[in-house]
């Protein structure tokens, strides 16, 4: 979900999408990258639909979490402020109606013109309420945000009214929103409930059309410590031996993909063949141990701390992790150097603590937020300019969602930066996202012992710059200041910026240190360009 803000001006893709939605009788699903404006699209769909109908429209929004419910509430209130009283008087059943929340401790009357439901509450009441209003002759629009979450289990209960909707007197409309729609049977079910997929708008398109902020993407290779490497090699050796025996017993495993193979191993762990079951169970346990070892490698938190120390002071940073223990460790490492500026957000914190942390991060009181999976679907802060992916994920949906949290457009935000940390020479996937549109891709290495970063192109240009300064007769203090600036620049993409932009930043610098930094970046650009 993305914050609508207060502007009603749509991107071309949104206008085209709305045309397709209306052409499909107000039904359908939209797959659009996080940060590209799905919320504004939905609110405009509701406004235009009500105007077209010429009568009051009941709008039901379903979201997966209470955090998203609060964000929809805020986005909707800001959006409604844009409507003039003149338009409200001209439009029957204007959108200036009341907003009701259900879930997360809220129990508003379902008669509100706009109802926002957390899925846990919607499961057992939404279908009944929609059907009641349809039978009363009213028109209802169901907006399913993060709709990929509603195709399975108890969540399907929100669509129970559908078999009876055609016999009702009112009209039913639907709009599903997701950055990553499921495929196969899951998508077919959602299409039967919400309508077919009518539009796709990916990150690559968003970068090219400047719907999102241009980005610098850094892949940073890390090393395991000696004892971690020894344990990794031992686990890998044991897994290889067991898997060889499993292949002899179950040769059909050979032709399976990684995900399918692991699912089959889980089934084999319950096999009646005791030996096969034991081997499958052991292999799974060892795989989880190895994955945990990689995920919690000590180099990750050390690298993140060093990164934060070199990034610009004014930007807000969100750090994505996979494990609560890892998030807590990083929090303890950062809280002393940045007192009162660091917070964490994860399932072990409690709802109120997470809510407080998010609000403090949103209003700028916190500069750094350390988060786990709980925030993947629910952070909506365009001011965030930097994301650090502490532990990689193989899930494409998570990668896209996390990227989308950082690349949202905001006035005055020139570029976003995303840092993906991965462990070299392990089974961890290093192919996180391709280089797309306005993105710039940097490959770095981090040395745990020295705490230094390496980039061959940057390092070569930096050595030339220092030699040039020495030839020009620069003293020890000047060389030391240049080295300081170069240490900062290696984890930033400033040295690749346009020469005119670098000159402007140099002229706008407020301190000597800042000016020296931009002088070095300008010189690096000249050397690299040559």
């Amino acid at each position: 979900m993305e914050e609508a803000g207060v502007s009603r001006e749509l991107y071309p893709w949104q206008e085209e999408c709305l045309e397709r939605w209306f052409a499909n009788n107000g039904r359908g699903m939209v797959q659009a990258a996080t940060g590209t404006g799905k919320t504004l699209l939905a609110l405009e769909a509701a406004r235009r639909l009500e105007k077209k109908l010429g009568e009051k429209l009941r709008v039901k929004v379903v979201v997966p979490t209470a955090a998203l419910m609060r964000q929809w509430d805020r986005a909707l209130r800001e959006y409604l402020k844009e409507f003039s009283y003149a338009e409200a008087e001209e439009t029957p059943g204007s959108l200036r109606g009341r907003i009701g929340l259900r879930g997360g401790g809220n129990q508003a009357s379902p008669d509100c013109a706009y109802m926002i439901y957390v899925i846990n509450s919607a499961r057992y009441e939404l279908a009944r309420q929609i059907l009641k209003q349809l039978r009363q002759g009213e028109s209802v629009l169901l907006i399913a945000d993060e709709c990929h979450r509603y195709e399975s289990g108890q969540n399907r209960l929100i669509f129970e009214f559908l078999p009876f909707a055609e016999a009702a007197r009112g009209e039913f409309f639907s709009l599903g929103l997701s950055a990553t729609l499921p495929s196969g049977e899951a998508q077919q079910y959602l299409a039967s409930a919400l309508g077919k997929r009518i539009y796709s708008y990916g990150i690559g398109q968003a970068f090219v059309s400047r719907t999102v902020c241009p980005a610098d993407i850094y892949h940073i290779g890390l090393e395991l410590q000696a004892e971690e490497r020894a344990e990794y090699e031992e686990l890998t050796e044991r897994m290889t031996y067991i898997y060889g025996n499993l292949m002899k017993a179950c040769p059909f495993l050979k032709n399976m993909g990684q995900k399918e193979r692991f699912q089959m191993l889980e089934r084999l762990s319950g096999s009646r063949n005791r030996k096969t079951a034991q081997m499958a169970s052991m292999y799974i346990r060892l795989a989880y141990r190895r994955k945990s070892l990689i995920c919690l490698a000590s180099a990750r938190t050390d690298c993140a701390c060093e990164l934060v120390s070199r990034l610009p002071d004014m930007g807000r940073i969100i750090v994505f992790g996979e494990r609560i223990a890892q998030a807590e460790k990083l929090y303890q490492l950062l809280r002393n150097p940045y007192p009162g500026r660091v917070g964490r957000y994860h399932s072990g914190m409690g709802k109120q603590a997470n809510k407080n942390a998010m609000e403090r991060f949103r209003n700028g009181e916190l500069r750094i937020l350390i988060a786990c999976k709980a925030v993947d679907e629910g952070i909506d802060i365009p001011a965030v300019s930097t994301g650090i992916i502490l532990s990689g994920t193989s899930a494409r949906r998570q990668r896209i969602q996390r990227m989308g949290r950082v690349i949202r457009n905001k006035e005055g935000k020139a570029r976003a930066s995303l840092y993906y940390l991965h462990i070299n020479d392990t089974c961890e996937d290093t192919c996180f996202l391709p280089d797309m549109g306005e993105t710039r891709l940097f490959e770095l290495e981090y040395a745990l012992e020295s705490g230094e970063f390496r980039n061959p192109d940057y390092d070569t240009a930096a050595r030339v710059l220092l030699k040039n300064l020495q030839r020009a007769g620069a003293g020890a203090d000047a060389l030391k200041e240049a080295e300081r600036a170069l240490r900062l620049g290696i984890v930033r993409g400033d040295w690749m910026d346009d020469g005119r932009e670098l000159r402007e930043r140099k002229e706008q610098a407020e301190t000597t240190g800042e000016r020296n930094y931009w002088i070095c970046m300008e010189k690096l650009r000249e050397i690299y360009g040559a």
Side-chain angles (χ1 to χ4, degrees):
M1 179 264 179
E2 39 255 288
E3 194 163 323
V6 295
S7 173
R8 282 194 284 148
E9 184 177 352
L10 300 188
Y11 291 114
W13 84 265
Q14 293 169 318
E15 290 286 2
E16 184 180 354
C17 182
L18 285 174
E19 287 181 14
R20 293 190 189 180
W21 185 69
F22 278 105
N24 198 44
N25 301 313
R27 300 288 304 278
M29 295 183 293
V30 176
Q31 177 172 284
T34 302
T36 54
K38 294 191 293 295
T39 302
L40 178 57
L41 172 80
L43 295 177
E44 271 291 299
R47 184 186 73 84
R48 296 183 187 189
L49 177 60
E50 185 171 59
K51 198 167 186 177
K52 180 180 179 181
L53 294 173
E55 62 182 26
K56 185 176 182 180
L57 176 68
R58 298 284 188 177
V59 180
K60 314 288 186 183
V61 182
V62 181
V63 298
T65 66
L68 275 172
M69 176 186 67
R70 291 189 293 270
Q71 288 176 182
W72 266 93
D73 182 36
R74 180 170 51 255
L76 181 55
R77 292 181 187 281
E78 290 182 3
Y79 182 82
L80 295 182
K81 290 177 184 177
E82 282 292 285
F83 289 90
S84 67
Y85 285 100
E87 183 177 350
E89 291 170 357
E90 292 172 5
T91 307
S94 161
L95 291 183
R96 299 183 66 84
R98 295 177 298 134
I99 303 170
L101 308 181
R102 301 282 286 186
N106 299 280
Q107 293 293 329
S109 167
D111 292 330
C112 295
Y114 282 86
M115 289 297 303
I116 307 172
Y117 297 80
V118 177
I119 185 61
N120 290 346
S121 297
R123 289 175 189 151
Y124 308 110
E125 57 183 71
L126 179 60
R128 183 180 70 253
Q129 290 164 5
I130 289 178
L131 187 57
K132 176 184 175 182
Q133 289 168 345
L134 288 174
R135 284 173 172 167
Q136 290 172 348
E138 297 182 277
S139 296
V140 178
L141 168 61
L142 173 62
I143 299 171
D145 191 22
E146 307 290 357
C147 64
H148 57 269
R149 299 279 292 267
Y150 312 138
E151 58 81 22
S152 61
Q154 293 294 301
N155 290 347
R156 289 192 177 196
L157 292 174
I158 64 174
F159 303 119
E160 275 195 324
F161 68 92
L162 285 169
F164 311 100
E166 289 188 9
R169 291 179 294 147
E171 291 188 89
F172 174 68
F173 306 90
S174 56
L175 179 59
L177 306 172
S178 176
T180 49
L181 286 172
S183 58
E185 293 183 5
Q187 184 172 139
Q188 291 175 12
Y189 173 77
L190 287 175
S192 69
L194 297 168
K196 66 181 181 180
R197 181 171 65 179
I198 57 170
Y199 205 90
S200 293
Y201 189 69
I203 284 182
Q205 294 169 280
F207 276 127
V208 170
S209 60
R210 291 297 186 97
T211 307
V212 296
C213 183
D216 290 338
I217 297 177
Y218 300 80
H219 288 173
I220 304 180
L222 313 174
E223 299 295 335
L224 293 172
Q225 287 189 333
E227 60 271 23
E228 293 171 336
R229 174 59 66 180
E231 184 178 356
Y232 177 85
E233 297 297 345
E234 180 187 353
L235 290 169
T236 300
E237 186 176 342
R238 293 175 65 187
M239 289 171 65
T240 301
Y241 176 77
I242 293 172
Y243 189 69
N245 289 329
L246 276 168
M247 287 290 292
K248 293 176 183 178
C250 310
F252 53 83
L253 290 169
K254 182 178 181 179
N255 298 321
M256 292 183 176
Q258 184 176 348
K259 183 178 180 181
E260 184 183 8
R261 186 184 300 123
F262 205 82
Q263 291 173 341
M264 177 56 70
L265 288 172
E266 288 181 327
R267 288 196 289 271
L268 288 174
S269 66
S271 170
R272 292 182 179 180
N273 185 314
R274 184 178 178 184
K275 185 177 180 180
T276 298
Q278 287 178 338
M279 287 192 296
S281 296
M282 179 57 70
Y283 186 89
I284 291 171
R285 286 197 296 272
L286 293 173
Y288 278 123
R289 280 179 57 187
R290 190 174 69 170
K291 181 179 179 180
S292 182
L293 172 68
I294 296 170
C295 180
L296 298 177
S298 56
R300 295 188 189 275
T301 49
D302 287 73
C303 179
C305 289
E306 188 61 34
L307 266 177
V308 170
S309 73
R310 301 193 191 196
L311 295 175
D313 294 336
M314 69 290 294
R316 264 174 271 182
I317 302 168
I318 182 165
V319 184
F320 295 96
E322 294 294 303
R323 306 289 177 88
I324 291 176
Q326 189 180 54
E328 288 292 334
K329 178 183 177 182
L330 183 59
Y331 174 73
Q332 296 301 328
L333 290 171
L334 292 176
R335 63 184 301 189
N336 290 330
Y338 309 98
R341 304 304 309 280
V342 185
R344 67 262 210 233
Y345 186 110
H346 57 69
S347 58
M349 292 285 295
K351 292 181 180 179
Q352 190 58 47
N354 279 339
K355 181 180 178 181
N356 293 343
M358 186 62 70
E359 287 304 314
R360 293 176 65 203
F361 188 55
R362 186 184 298 279
N363 64 31
E365 182 182 345
L366 295 179
R367 177 192 168 212
I368 305 162
L369 185 68
I370 304 166
C372 291
K373 294 179 181 179
V375 83
D376 283 345
E377 292 178 352
I379 184 169
D380 213 357
I381 306 172
V384 175
S385 58
T386 301
I388 299 174
I389 315 303
L390 193 63
S391 301
T393 172
S394 60
R396 176 175 175 270
R397 176 174 293 133
Q398 265 189 310
R399 296 201 301 269
I400 292 174
Q401 287 170 338
R402 289 175 173 182
M403 188 176 196
R405 304 301 165 208
V406 181
I407 61 175
R408 300 177 188 279
N409 268 330
K410 181 178 173 60
E411 186 175 353
K413 180 176 173 181
R415 297 191 76 87
S417 298
L418 291 107
Y419 299 85
Y420 290 89
L421 279 53
H422 63 88
I423 306 297
N424 292 330
D425 302 319
T426 67
C427 59
E428 183 175 18
D429 180 13
T430 60
C431 186
F432 295 101
L433 284 168
D435 183 13
M436 298 171 294
E438 292 296 311
T439 64
R440 300 186 304 203
L441 185 62
F442 299 88
E443 297 285 348
L444 303 181
E445 296 289 329
Y446 174 73
L448 180 59
E449 291 185 2
S450 64
E452 293 298 330
F453 294 89
R454 295 285 179 262
N455 175 330
D457 290 338
Y458 185 94
D459 292 341
T460 299
R463 284 194 294 269
V464 173
L465 173 57
L466 291 173
K467 286 181 179 179
N468 289 345
L469 288 173
Q470 287 176 325
R471 291 194 191 102
D477 289 343
L479 290 173
K480 185 176 180 181
E481 176 66 1
E483 290 173 350
R484 179 197 67 83
L486 292 171
R487 288 187 76 253
L488 298 178
I490 193 169
V491 298
R492 309 180 189 181
D494 299 324
W495 61 293
M496 295 291 289
D497 286 351
D498 180 76
R500 179 181 54 81
E501 293 178 7
L502 292 172
R503 287 191 294 273
E504 288 178 357
R505 291 174 188 171
K506 179 180 65 176
E507 293 169 2
Q508 295 168 0
E510 297 180 356
T511 66
T512 301
E514 186 181 355
R515 178 177 172 80
N516 289 338
Y517 172 79
W518 290 114
I519 289 173
C520 285
M521 295 303 104
E522 186 180 22
K523 295 297 183 183
L524 277 183
R525 177 61 177 169
E526 293 172 2
I527 294 168
Y528 183 75

